[in-house]
Amino acid sequence: EDKVVQSPLSLVVHEGDTVTLNCSYEVTNFRSLLWYKQEKKAPTFLFMLTSSGIEKKSGRLSSILDKKELFSILNITATQTGDSAVYLCAVEARDGAGSYQLTFGKGTKLSVIP
Amino acid sequence: SAVISQKPSRDICQRGTSLTIQCQVDSQVTMMFWYRQQPGQSLTLIATANQGSEATYESGFVIDKFPISRPNLTFSTLTVSNMSPEDSSIYLCSAGSGRASHNEQFFGPGTRLTVL
């Protein structure tokens, strides 16, 4: 069974701090790893990673994938209160029927204090 | 990207009743999915909504409890049948941009369901 584990489950930091969120996975037929930010109900897409060692950046957020060690990290620098959210990691893999599925981790709840 | 809307955004229902949630995408998409997010939990895939055929359900979810329709490439419904308080959850519709993968999966705003 495919598994995605995120750590820590929750994190409280002060504005300006840098945080690193972790995601490890065990899946067969890996295709990609995705990061989402969930503030209220619907997750919003952040990054999709398919290759090891290539950093994806968007403003203060960056992410990298290690397919050998089966993990990814999401970095947020100079955190702001607006970064407070649950960050979800999901892995896309081919299932037994030949189609692709996303398996989500439990998420990391980030709280940024002014 | 795809813009997805869901109706209703929230509802409070009585035990034993059923609720149908609608999901509308602003463009034709190949893949549509329904997820559930129970309090404090991550997203769990309920089923893949297949256009023109029966939905594909994940382990632990059955058609009698969660019937799904997908009459065309832009619309799907999920019904939560014979509800109990354990069904209280956020239900999310999503659409995949890729032909056979989730590349960039876009989510609807979700429906918050409370069952009394």
Side-chain angles (χ1 to χ4, degrees):
Chain A
E1 185 178 325
D2 295 343
K3 192 163 62 170
V4 178
V5 178
Q6 290 185 246
S7 64
L9 291 181
S10 67
L11 191 55
V12 181
V13 301
H14 289 95
E15 268 191 317
D17 288 350
T18 293
V19 297
T20 298
L21 310 182
N22 303 293
C23 176
S24 63
Y25 61 92
E26 291 178 30
V27 301
T28 51
N29 299 311
F30 172 89
R31 182 183 175 109
S32 66
L33 185 145
L34 301 96
W35 284 97
Y36 292 87
K37 179 182 181 182
Q38 187 176 28
E39 291 177 88
K40 290 185 179 176
K41 286 189 290 190
T44 53
F45 173 82
L46 294 175
F47 298 111
M48 183 177 75
L49 304 156
T50 55
S51 302
S52 283
I54 300 174
E55 186 183 49
K56 294 270 183 106
K57 280 184 74 82
S58 176
R60 296 176 294 103
L61 276 67
S62 64
S63 183
I64 197 161
L65 174 67
D66 185 328
K67 289 169 72 173
K68 183 179 176 187
E69 299 298 328
L70 307 183
F71 78 90
S72 173
I73 59 172
L74 175 69
N75 278 322
I76 308 174
T77 59
T79 52
Q80 303 171 358
T81 55
D83 295 327
S84 297
V86 174
Y87 290 83
L88 293 166
C89 171
V91 173
E92 181 185 24
R94 190 190 290 272
D95 66 15
S99 61
Y100 289 94
Q101 279 196 11
L102 283 182
T103 300
F104 282 85
K106 291 188 184 299
T108 294
K109 183 176 180 180
L110 174 65
S111 300
V112 181
I113 302 171
Chain B
S1 66
V3 176
I4 303 173
S5 59
Q6 278 184 240
K7 288 196 297 187
S9 61
R10 63 193 310 143
D11 208 342
I12 300 172
C13 301
Q14 295 296 322
R15 182 195 296 261
T17 62
S18 297
L19 175 72
T20 296
I21 303 167
Q22 299 180 5
C23 176
Q24 179 74 53
V25 188
D26 70 342
S27 58
Q28 291 187 343
V29 290
T30 305
M31 313 290 285
M32 290 182 76
F33 309 92
W34 287 98
Y35 288 85
R36 179 173 75 181
Q37 188 173 29
Q38 294 181 301
Q41 303 293 317
S42 189
L43 282 77
T44 302
L45 180 64
I46 297 172
T48 302
N50 301 308
Q51 194 268 325
S53 63
E54 199 169 276
T56 305
Y57 289 85
E58 299 304 304
S59 175
F61 298 96
V62 294
I63 188 171
D64 289 346
K65 176 67 177 177
F66 297 103
I68 288 170
S69 80
R70 188 161 174 209
N72 56 52
L73 291 175
T74 64
F75 185 78
S76 177
T77 67
L78 168 76
T79 299
V80 186
S81 303
N82 188 25
M83 289 184 283
S84 67
E86 292 72 35
D87 294 320
S88 297
S89 184
I90 296 172
Y91 291 86
L92 291 149
C93 166
S94 75
S97 61
R99 183 172 174 78
S101 82
H102 295 235
N103 280 339
E104 285 185 24
Q105 194 168 349
F106 302 97
F107 287 85
T111 297
R112 186 182 294 276
L113 171 62
T114 303
V115 184
L116 303 178

mmCIF file of all heavy atoms in Angstrom, chain B residues 10-58:
data_model
loop_
_atom_site.group_PDB
_atom_site.id
_atom_site.type_symbol
_atom_site.label_atom_id
_atom_site.label_comp_id
_atom_site.label_asym_id
_atom_site.label_seq_id
_atom_site.Cartn_x
_atom_site.Cartn_y
_atom_site.Cartn_z
ATOM 1 N N ARG B 10 -21.846 24.470 2.023
ATOM 2 C CA ARG B 10 -21.984 23.817 3.315
ATOM 3 C C ARG B 10 -23.426 23.412 3.528
ATOM 4 O O ARG B 10 -24.326 23.985 2.896
ATOM 5 C CB ARG B 10 -21.492 24.713 4.432
ATOM 6 C CG ARG B 10 -22.266 26.013 4.600
ATOM 7 C CD ARG B 10 -21.534 26.977 5.495
ATOM 8 N NE ARG B 10 -21.125 26.363 6.733
ATOM 9 C CZ ARG B 10 -19.982 26.644 7.339
ATOM 10 N NH1 ARG B 10 -19.130 27.515 6.821
ATOM 11 N NH2 ARG B 10 -19.655 26.061 8.474
ATOM 12 N N ASP B 11 -23.638 22.442 4.376
ATOM 13 C CA ASP B 11 -25.000 22.030 4.698
ATOM 14 C C ASP B 11 -24.990 21.302 6.027
ATOM 15 O O ASP B 11 -23.991 20.681 6.414
ATOM 16 C CB ASP B 11 -25.568 21.126 3.601
ATOM 17 C CG ASP B 11 -27.079 21.206 3.503
ATOM 18 O OD1 ASP B 11 -27.722 21.673 4.471
ATOM 19 O OD2 ASP B 11 -27.632 20.796 2.467
ATOM 20 N N ILE B 12 -26.124 21.403 6.692
ATOM 21 C CA ILE B 12 -26.346 20.651 7.929
ATOM 22 C C ILE B 12 -27.532 19.744 7.669
ATOM 23 O O ILE B 12 -28.605 20.223 7.282
ATOM 24 C CB ILE B 12 -26.624 21.602 9.107
ATOM 25 C CG1 ILE B 12 -25.433 22.532 9.326
ATOM 26 C CG2 ILE B 12 -26.917 20.801 10.372
ATOM 27 C CD1 ILE B 12 -25.685 23.631 10.352
ATOM 28 N N CYS B 13 -27.343 18.465 7.842
ATOM 29 C CA CYS B 13 -28.365 17.491 7.455
ATOM 30 C C CYS B 13 -28.723 16.586 8.625
ATOM 31 O O CYS B 13 -27.940 16.408 9.564
ATOM 32 C CB CYS B 13 -27.859 16.637 6.292
ATOM 33 S SG CYS B 13 -27.435 17.591 4.824
ATOM 34 N N GLN B 14 -29.892 16.012 8.524
ATOM 35 C CA GLN B 14 -30.352 15.081 9.540
ATOM 36 C C GLN B 14 -29.893 13.661 9.198
ATOM 37 O O GLN B 14 -29.778 13.285 8.019
ATOM 38 C CB GLN B 14 -31.879 15.121 9.637
ATOM 39 C CG GLN B 14 -32.428 16.457 10.119
ATOM 40 C CD GLN B 14 -32.003 16.771 11.539
ATOM 41 O OE1 GLN B 14 -31.935 15.888 12.407
ATOM 42 N NE2 GLN B 14 -31.699 18.040 11.794
ATOM 43 N N ARG B 15 -29.678 12.906 10.209
ATOM 44 C CA ARG B 15 -29.331 11.492 10.043
ATOM 45 C C ARG B 15 -30.363 10.784 9.175
ATOM 46 O O ARG B 15 -31.559 11.034 9.293
ATOM 47 C CB ARG B 15 -29.287 10.846 11.428
ATOM 48 C CG ARG B 15 -28.888 9.395 11.483
ATOM 49 C CD ARG B 15 -29.262 8.820 12.848
ATOM 50 N NE ARG B 15 -28.510 9.457 13.915
ATOM 51 C CZ ARG B 15 -27.432 8.926 14.475
ATOM 52 N NH1 ARG B 15 -26.973 7.763 14.061
ATOM 53 N NH2 ARG B 15 -26.815 9.550 15.458
ATOM 54 N N GLY B 16 -29.907 9.932 8.275
ATOM 55 C CA GLY B 16 -30.803 9.135 7.444
ATOM 56 C C GLY B 16 -31.176 9.782 6.120
ATOM 57 O O GLY B 16 -31.729 9.117 5.247
ATOM 58 N N THR B 17 -30.873 11.058 5.976
ATOM 59 C CA THR B 17 -31.191 11.733 4.712
ATOM 60 C C THR B 17 -30.008 11.628 3.757
ATOM 61 O O THR B 17 -28.955 11.087 4.102
ATOM 62 C CB THR B 17 -31.521 13.215 4.959
ATOM 63 O OG1 THR B 17 -30.375 13.875 5.517
ATOM 64 C CG2 THR B 17 -32.699 13.354 5.908
ATOM 65 N N SER B 18 -30.188 12.143 2.556
ATOM 66 C CA SER B 18 -29.127 12.105 1.539
ATOM 67 C C SER B 18 -28.867 13.512 1.026
ATOM 68 O O SER B 18 -29.769 14.356 1.012
ATOM 69 C CB SER B 18 -29.530 11.202 0.367
ATOM 70 O OG SER B 18 -29.686 9.871 0.799
ATOM 71 N N LEU B 19 -27.661 13.748 0.604
ATOM 72 C CA LEU B 19 -27.281 15.051 0.060
ATOM 73 C C LEU B 19 -26.509 14.842 -1.233
ATOM 74 O O LEU B 19 -25.599 14.009 -1.285
ATOM 75 C CB LEU B 19 -26.392 15.821 1.049
ATOM 76 C CG LEU B 19 -25.846 17.157 0.529
ATOM 77 C CD1 LEU B 19 -26.964 18.190 0.466
ATOM 78 C CD2 LEU B 19 -24.702 17.659 1.405
ATOM 79 N N THR B 20 -26.850 15.604 -2.253
ATOM 80 C CA THR B 20 -26.117 15.553 -3.515
ATOM 81 C C THR B 20 -25.286 16.814 -3.672
ATOM 82 O O THR B 20 -25.804 17.926 -3.564
ATOM 83 C CB THR B 20 -27.062 15.394 -4.705
ATOM 84 O OG1 THR B 20 -27.725 14.122 -4.601
ATOM 85 C CG2 THR B 20 -26.302 15.439 -6.023
ATOM 86 N N ILE B 21 -24.006 16.617 -3.918
ATOM 87 C CA ILE B 21 -23.060 17.714 -4.110
ATOM 88 C C ILE B 21 -22.734 17.809 -5.600
ATOM 89 O O ILE B 21 -22.453 16.792 -6.245
ATOM 90 C CB ILE B 21 -21.765 17.459 -3.315
ATOM 91 C CG1 ILE B 21 -22.079 17.264 -1.834
ATOM 92 C CG2 ILE B 21 -20.780 18.617 -3.498
ATOM 93 C CD1 ILE B 21 -20.923 16.714 -1.026
ATOM 94 N N GLN B 22 -22.778 19.026 -6.113
ATOM 95 C CA GLN B 22 -22.509 19.228 -7.529
ATOM 96 C C GLN B 22 -21.129 19.838 -7.727
ATOM 97 O O GLN B 22 -20.688 20.670 -6.938
ATOM 98 C CB GLN B 22 -23.552 20.168 -8.133
ATOM 99 C CG GLN B 22 -24.964 19.648 -8.058
ATOM 100 C CD GLN B 22 -25.952 20.622 -8.666
ATOM 101 O OE1 GLN B 22 -25.577 21.648 -9.236
ATOM 102 N NE2 GLN B 22 -27.221 20.299 -8.563
ATOM 103 N N CYS B 23 -20.488 19.433 -8.793
ATOM 104 C CA CYS B 23 -19.165 19.945 -9.132
ATOM 105 C C CYS B 23 -19.154 20.344 -10.600
ATOM 106 O O CYS B 23 -19.469 19.530 -11.472
ATOM 107 C CB CYS B 23 -18.117 18.871 -8.868
ATOM 108 S SG CYS B 23 -16.435 19.332 -9.341
ATOM 109 N N GLN B 24 -18.801 21.608 -10.843
ATOM 110 C CA GLN B 24 -18.791 22.127 -12.210
ATOM 111 C C GLN B 24 -17.395 22.651 -12.536
ATOM 112 O O GLN B 24 -16.830 23.427 -11.782
ATOM 113 C CB GLN B 24 -19.805 23.261 -12.342
ATOM 114 C CG GLN B 24 -19.873 23.894 -13.718
ATOM 115 C CD GLN B 24 -20.582 23.010 -14.730
ATOM 116 O OE1 GLN B 24 -21.702 22.563 -14.496
ATOM 117 N NE2 GLN B 24 -19.946 22.738 -15.856
ATOM 118 N N VAL B 25 -16.859 22.225 -13.678
ATOM 119 C CA VAL B 25 -15.546 22.682 -14.122
ATOM 120 C C VAL B 25 -15.743 23.606 -15.314
ATOM 121 O O VAL B 25 -16.639 23.379 -16.133
ATOM 122 C CB VAL B 25 -14.640 21.497 -14.526
ATOM 123 C CG1 VAL B 25 -13.216 21.969 -14.788
ATOM 124 C CG2 VAL B 25 -14.642 20.428 -13.446
ATOM 125 N N ASP B 26 -14.903 24.633 -15.406
ATOM 126 C CA ASP B 26 -15.119 25.629 -16.465
ATOM 127 C C ASP B 26 -14.532 25.211 -17.813
ATOM 128 O O ASP B 26 -14.616 25.954 -18.785
ATOM 129 C CB ASP B 26 -14.541 26.989 -16.049
ATOM 130 C CG ASP B 26 -13.021 26.998 -16.012
ATOM 131 O OD1 ASP B 26 -12.414 25.903 -15.971
ATOM 132 O OD2 ASP B 26 -12.444 28.097 -16.002
ATOM 133 N N SER B 27 -13.950 24.030 -17.870
ATOM 134 C CA SER B 27 -13.427 23.516 -19.131
ATOM 135 C C SER B 27 -13.532 21.997 -19.118
ATOM 136 O O SER B 27 -13.696 21.392 -18.056
ATOM 137 C CB SER B 27 -11.977 23.950 -19.341
ATOM 138 O OG SER B 27 -11.177 23.501 -18.264
ATOM 139 N N GLN B 28 -13.436 21.410 -20.284
ATOM 140 C CA GLN B 28 -13.539 19.953 -20.346
ATOM 141 C C GLN B 28 -12.283 19.320 -19.768
ATOM 142 O O GLN B 28 -11.169 19.724 -20.108
ATOM 143 C CB GLN B 28 -13.731 19.510 -21.804
ATOM 144 C CG GLN B 28 -15.083 19.913 -22.370
ATOM 145 C CD GLN B 28 -15.318 19.320 -23.748
ATOM 146 O OE1 GLN B 28 -14.388 18.884 -24.410
ATOM 147 N NE2 GLN B 28 -16.566 19.305 -24.173
ATOM 148 N N VAL B 29 -12.467 18.364 -18.901
ATOM 149 C CA VAL B 29 -11.349 17.664 -18.277
ATOM 150 C C VAL B 29 -11.574 16.163 -18.395
ATOM 151 O O VAL B 29 -12.706 15.692 -18.378
ATOM 152 C CB VAL B 29 -11.183 18.052 -16.795
ATOM 153 C CG1 VAL B 29 -10.684 19.473 -16.664
ATOM 154 C CG2 VAL B 29 -12.473 17.860 -16.019
ATOM 155 N N THR B 30 -10.482 15.456 -18.498
ATOM 156 C CA THR B 30 -10.596 14.008 -18.618
ATOM 157 C C THR B 30 -10.904 13.368 -17.274
ATOM 158 O O THR B 30 -11.744 12.490 -17.173
ATOM 159 C CB THR B 30 -9.293 13.431 -19.175
ATOM 160 O OG1 THR B 30 -8.985 14.081 -20.404
ATOM 161 C CG2 THR B 30 -9.425 11.937 -19.411
ATOM 162 N N MET B 31 -10.190 13.815 -16.256
ATOM 163 C CA MET B 31 -10.269 13.154 -14.952
ATOM 164 C C MET B 31 -10.993 14.043 -13.940
ATOM 165 O O MET B 31 -10.682 15.218 -13.804
ATOM 166 C CB MET B 31 -8.862 12.857 -14.415
ATOM 167 C CG MET B 31 -7.921 12.225 -15.415
ATOM 168 S SD MET B 31 -8.376 10.539 -15.793
ATOM 169 C CE MET B 31 -7.840 9.693 -14.308
ATOM 170 N N MET B 32 -11.941 13.458 -13.246
ATOM 171 C CA MET B 32 -12.576 14.137 -12.113
ATOM 172 C C MET B 32 -12.599 13.165 -10.944
ATOM 173 O O MET B 32 -12.814 11.963 -11.120
ATOM 174 C CB MET B 32 -13.995 14.603 -12.449
ATOM 175 C CG MET B 32 -14.036 15.756 -13.443
ATOM 176 S SD MET B 32 -15.702 16.337 -13.788
ATOM 177 C CE MET B 32 -16.062 17.261 -12.286
ATOM 178 N N PHE B 33 -12.384 13.725 -9.757
ATOM 179 C CA PHE B 33 -12.258 12.898 -8.565
ATOM 180 C C PHE B 33 -13.063 13.492 -7.416
ATOM 181 O O PHE B 33 -13.287 14.693 -7.361
ATOM 182 C CB PHE B 33 -10.790 12.814 -8.115
ATOM 183 C CG PHE B 33 -9.840 12.437 -9.207
ATOM 184 C CD1 PHE B 33 -9.220 13.414 -9.966
ATOM 185 C CD2 PHE B 33 -9.554 11.111 -9.474
ATOM 186 C CE1 PHE B 33 -8.343 13.087 -10.981
ATOM 187 C CE2 PHE B 33 -8.674 10.768 -10.488
ATOM 188 C CZ PHE B 33 -8.074 11.751 -11.241
ATOM 189 N N TRP B 34 -13.439 12.633 -6.495
ATOM 190 C CA TRP B 34 -14.085 13.069 -5.260
ATOM 191 C C TRP B 34 -13.254 12.598 -4.075
ATOM 192 O O TRP B 34 -12.875 11.423 -3.986
ATOM 193 C CB TRP B 34 -15.500 12.498 -5.160
ATOM 194 C CG TRP B 34 -16.456 13.165 -6.095
ATOM 195 C CD1 TRP B 34 -16.857 12.722 -7.324
ATOM 196 C CD2 TRP B 34 -17.135 14.403 -5.880
ATOM 197 N NE1 TRP B 34 -17.733 13.610 -7.891
ATOM 198 C CE2 TRP B 34 -17.922 14.643 -7.031
ATOM 199 C CE3 TRP B 34 -17.153 15.333 -4.836
ATOM 200 C CZ2 TRP B 34 -18.727 15.784 -7.152
ATOM 201 C CZ3 TRP B 34 -17.947 16.453 -4.955
ATOM 202 C CH2 TRP B 34 -18.727 16.678 -6.103
ATOM 203 N N TYR B 35 -12.988 13.571 -3.163
ATOM 204 C CA TYR B 35 -12.217 13.305 -1.962
ATOM 205 C C TYR B 35 -13.056 13.627 -0.736
ATOM 206 O O TYR B 35 -13.983 14.441 -0.782
ATOM 207 C CB TYR B 35 -10.955 14.179 -1.903
ATOM 208 C CG TYR B 35 -9.869 13.814 -2.872
ATOM 209 C CD1 TYR B 35 -9.880 14.290 -4.174
ATOM 210 C CD2 TYR B 35 -8.801 13.011 -2.472
ATOM 211 C CE1 TYR B 35 -8.863 13.963 -5.063
ATOM 212 C CE2 TYR B 35 -7.778 12.685 -3.347
ATOM 213 C CZ TYR B 35 -7.815 13.164 -4.638
ATOM 214 O OH TYR B 35 -6.805 12.846 -5.515
ATOM 215 N N ARG B 36 -12.655 13.032 0.376
ATOM 216 C CA ARG B 36 -13.245 13.369 1.656
ATOM 217 C C ARG B 36 -12.119 13.761 2.602
ATOM 218 O O ARG B 36 -11.040 13.143 2.584
ATOM 219 C CB ARG B 36 -14.003 12.156 2.213
ATOM 220 C CG ARG B 36 -14.638 12.391 3.556
ATOM 221 C CD ARG B 36 -15.513 11.225 3.954
ATOM 222 N NE ARG B 36 -14.737 10.069 4.378
ATOM 223 C CZ ARG B 36 -15.297 8.923 4.760
ATOM 224 N NH1 ARG B 36 -16.607 8.796 4.750
ATOM 225 N NH2 ARG B 36 -14.546 7.914 5.134
ATOM 226 N N GLN B 37 -12.375 14.769 3.400
ATOM 227 C CA GLN B 37 -11.407 15.164 4.417
ATOM 228 C C GLN B 37 -12.128 15.267 5.739
ATOM 229 O O GLN B 37 -12.825 16.255 6.002
ATOM 230 C CB GLN B 37 -10.726 16.478 4.063
ATOM 231 C CG GLN B 37 -9.578 16.819 5.001
ATOM 232 C CD GLN B 37 -8.810 18.029 4.547
ATOM 233 O OE1 GLN B 37 -9.354 18.909 3.906
ATOM 234 N NE2 GLN B 37 -7.519 18.091 4.884
ATOM 235 N N GLN B 38 -11.981 14.251 6.570
ATOM 236 C CA GLN B 38 -12.628 14.255 7.875
ATOM 237 C C GLN B 38 -11.831 15.123 8.830
ATOM 238 O O GLN B 38 -10.650 15.387 8.600
ATOM 239 C CB GLN B 38 -12.776 12.822 8.375
ATOM 240 C CG GLN B 38 -13.751 12.035 7.492
ATOM 241 C CD GLN B 38 -13.955 10.618 7.946
ATOM 242 O OE1 GLN B 38 -13.004 9.852 8.026
ATOM 243 N NE2 GLN B 38 -15.197 10.256 8.219
ATOM 244 N N PRO B 39 -12.465 15.587 9.897
ATOM 245 C CA PRO B 39 -11.797 16.517 10.809
ATOM 246 C C PRO B 39 -10.433 16.011 11.269
ATOM 247 O O PRO B 39 -10.312 14.878 11.729
ATOM 248 C CB PRO B 39 -12.788 16.615 11.976
ATOM 249 C CG PRO B 39 -14.121 16.313 11.370
ATOM 250 C CD PRO B 39 -13.850 15.296 10.301
ATOM 251 N N GLY B 40 -9.429 16.825 11.088
ATOM 252 C CA GLY B 40 -8.084 16.470 11.519
ATOM 253 C C GLY B 40 -7.369 15.465 10.649
ATOM 254 O O GLY B 40 -6.267 15.027 10.987
ATOM 255 N N GLN B 41 -7.984 15.095 9.534
ATOM 256 C CA GLN B 41 -7.376 14.074 8.671
ATOM 257 C C GLN B 41 -6.947 14.682 7.347
ATOM 258 O O GLN B 41 -7.298 15.806 7.010
ATOM 259 C CB GLN B 41 -8.394 12.950 8.399
ATOM 260 C CG GLN B 41 -8.936 12.281 9.634
ATOM 261 C CD GLN B 41 -7.878 11.499 10.371
ATOM 262 O OE1 GLN B 41 -7.063 10.797 9.777
ATOM 263 N NE2 GLN B 41 -7.854 11.630 11.685
ATOM 264 N N SER B 42 -6.198 13.894 6.596
ATOM 265 C CA SER B 42 -5.823 14.344 5.273
ATOM 266 C C SER B 42 -6.893 13.950 4.262
ATOM 267 O O SER B 42 -7.930 13.397 4.627
ATOM 268 C CB SER B 42 -4.473 13.736 4.885
ATOM 269 O OG SER B 42 -4.006 14.329 3.692
ATOM 270 N N LEU B 43 -6.620 14.248 3.009
ATOM 271 C CA LEU B 43 -7.596 13.942 1.972
ATOM 272 C C LEU B 43 -7.577 12.448 1.660
ATOM 273 O O LEU B 43 -6.517 11.856 1.504
ATOM 274 C CB LEU B 43 -7.284 14.713 0.702
ATOM 275 C CG LEU B 43 -7.686 16.178 0.671
ATOM 276 C CD1 LEU B 43 -6.721 17.015 1.466
ATOM 277 C CD2 LEU B 43 -7.781 16.677 -0.745
ATOM 278 N N THR B 44 -8.752 11.877 1.515
ATOM 279 C CA THR B 44 -8.887 10.480 1.138
ATOM 280 C C THR B 44 -9.708 10.400 -0.135
ATOM 281 O O THR B 44 -10.808 10.962 -0.193
ATOM 282 C CB THR B 44 -9.583 9.675 2.252
ATOM 283 O OG1 THR B 44 -8.839 9.801 3.460
ATOM 284 C CG2 THR B 44 -9.695 8.208 1.866
ATOM 285 N N LEU B 45 -9.192 9.713 -1.123
ATOM 286 C CA LEU B 45 -9.902 9.574 -2.386
ATOM 287 C C LEU B 45 -11.090 8.645 -2.209
ATOM 288 O O LEU B 45 -10.929 7.508 -1.738
ATOM 289 C CB LEU B 45 -8.958 9.042 -3.462
ATOM 290 C CG LEU B 45 -9.540 8.844 -4.859
ATOM 291 C CD1 LEU B 45 -9.981 10.180 -5.449
ATOM 292 C CD2 LEU B 45 -8.519 8.176 -5.775
ATOM 293 N N ILE B 46 -12.270 9.123 -2.596
ATOM 294 C CA ILE B 46 -13.464 8.291 -2.562
ATOM 295 C C ILE B 46 -13.569 7.502 -3.856
ATOM 296 O O ILE B 46 -13.722 6.282 -3.852
ATOM 297 C CB ILE B 46 -14.724 9.158 -2.382
ATOM 298 C CG1 ILE B 46 -14.690 9.891 -1.045
ATOM 299 C CG2 ILE B 46 -15.985 8.305 -2.511
ATOM 300 C CD1 ILE B 46 -15.807 10.924 -0.883
ATOM 301 N N ALA B 47 -13.498 8.223 -4.977
ATOM 302 C CA ALA B 47 -13.689 7.559 -6.267
ATOM 303 C C ALA B 47 -13.234 8.468 -7.395
ATOM 304 O O ALA B 47 -13.119 9.683 -7.237
ATOM 305 C CB ALA B 47 -15.150 7.192 -6.464
ATOM 306 N N THR B 48 -13.002 7.851 -8.526
ATOM 307 C CA THR B 48 -12.756 8.555 -9.776
ATOM 308 C C THR B 48 -14.062 8.565 -10.559
ATOM 309 O O THR B 48 -14.664 7.501 -10.772
ATOM 310 C CB THR B 48 -11.676 7.840 -10.597
ATOM 311 O OG1 THR B 48 -10.482 7.757 -9.817
ATOM 312 C CG2 THR B 48 -11.385 8.593 -11.894
ATOM 313 N N ALA B 49 -14.493 9.748 -10.960
ATOM 314 C CA ALA B 49 -15.745 9.878 -11.712
ATOM 315 C C ALA B 49 -15.426 9.720 -13.195
ATOM 316 O O ALA B 49 -14.714 10.532 -13.773
ATOM 317 C CB ALA B 49 -16.376 11.239 -11.435
ATOM 318 N N ASN B 50 -15.951 8.690 -13.798
ATOM 319 C CA ASN B 50 -15.671 8.387 -15.202
ATOM 320 C C ASN B 50 -16.824 8.871 -16.064
ATOM 321 O O ASN B 50 -17.990 8.575 -15.778
ATOM 322 C CB ASN B 50 -15.481 6.878 -15.379
ATOM 323 C CG ASN B 50 -14.341 6.346 -14.534
ATOM 324 O OD1 ASN B 50 -13.229 6.863 -14.577
ATOM 325 N ND2 ASN B 50 -14.600 5.313 -13.756
ATOM 326 N N GLN B 51 -16.490 9.570 -17.119
ATOM 327 C CA GLN B 51 -17.529 10.078 -17.999
ATOM 328 C C GLN B 51 -18.128 8.947 -18.799
ATOM 329 O O GLN B 51 -17.425 8.219 -19.482
ATOM 330 C CB GLN B 51 -16.954 11.158 -18.908
ATOM 331 C CG GLN B 51 -17.996 12.002 -19.625
ATOM 332 C CD GLN B 51 -18.361 11.463 -21.000
ATOM 333 O OE1 GLN B 51 -17.508 10.928 -21.685
ATOM 334 N NE2 GLN B 51 -19.602 11.618 -21.397
ATOM 335 N N GLY B 52 -19.431 8.790 -18.691
ATOM 336 C CA GLY B 52 -20.129 7.793 -19.489
ATOM 337 C C GLY B 52 -20.092 6.384 -18.947
ATOM 338 O O GLY B 52 -20.600 5.464 -19.584
ATOM 339 N N SER B 53 -19.477 6.191 -17.782
ATOM 340 C CA SER B 53 -19.467 4.848 -17.200
ATOM 341 C C SER B 53 -19.461 4.964 -15.677
ATOM 342 O O SER B 53 -19.374 6.057 -15.130
ATOM 343 C CB SER B 53 -18.260 4.047 -17.684
ATOM 344 O OG SER B 53 -17.063 4.654 -17.250
ATOM 345 N N GLU B 54 -19.535 3.830 -15.035
ATOM 346 C CA GLU B 54 -19.622 3.824 -13.574
ATOM 347 C C GLU B 54 -18.314 4.332 -12.959
ATOM 348 O O GLU B 54 -17.226 4.093 -13.487
ATOM 349 C CB GLU B 54 -19.892 2.392 -13.111
ATOM 350 C CG GLU B 54 -20.443 2.270 -11.718
ATOM 351 C CD GLU B 54 -20.915 0.852 -11.450
ATOM 352 O OE1 GLU B 54 -22.045 0.523 -11.811
ATOM 353 O OE2 GLU B 54 -20.120 0.074 -10.887
ATOM 354 N N ALA B 55 -18.445 4.996 -11.834
ATOM 355 C CA ALA B 55 -17.260 5.501 -11.130
ATOM 356 C C ALA B 55 -16.419 4.351 -10.602
ATOM 357 O O ALA B 55 -16.909 3.247 -10.362
ATOM 358 C CB ALA B 55 -17.691 6.407 -9.988
ATOM 359 N N THR B 56 -15.138 4.629 -10.405
ATOM 360 C CA THR B 56 -14.213 3.654 -9.845
ATOM 361 C C THR B 56 -13.985 4.000 -8.380
ATOM 362 O O THR B 56 -13.418 5.051 -8.071
ATOM 363 C CB THR B 56 -12.874 3.688 -10.598
ATOM 364 O OG1 THR B 56 -13.101 3.497 -11.984
ATOM 365 C CG2 THR B 56 -11.944 2.605 -10.063
ATOM 366 N N TYR B 57 -14.414 3.120 -7.496
ATOM 367 C CA TYR B 57 -14.380 3.403 -6.067
ATOM 368 C C TYR B 57 -13.123 2.833 -5.414
ATOM 369 O O TYR B 57 -12.638 1.762 -5.781
ATOM 370 C CB TYR B 57 -15.626 2.823 -5.385
ATOM 371 C CG TYR B 57 -16.870 3.590 -5.736
ATOM 372 C CD1 TYR B 57 -17.580 3.304 -6.902
ATOM 373 C CD2 TYR B 57 -17.326 4.626 -4.918
ATOM 374 C CE1 TYR B 57 -18.702 4.041 -7.247
ATOM 375 C CE2 TYR B 57 -18.447 5.359 -5.256
ATOM 376 C CZ TYR B 57 -19.127 5.058 -6.424
ATOM 377 O OH TYR B 57 -20.233 5.795 -6.766
ATOM 378 N N GLU B 58 -12.655 3.560 -4.407
ATOM 379 C CA GLU B 58 -11.508 3.109 -3.626
ATOM 380 C C GLU B 58 -11.975 2.151 -2.543
ATOM 381 O O GLU B 58 -13.166 2.088 -2.200
ATOM 382 C CB GLU B 58 -10.794 4.301 -2.998
ATOM 383 C CG GLU B 58 -10.251 5.275 -4.032
ATOM 384 C CD GLU B 58 -9.332 4.590 -5.017
ATOM 385 O OE1 GLU B 58 -8.350 3.957 -4.566
ATOM 386 O OE2 GLU B 58 -9.583 4.689 -6.238
#
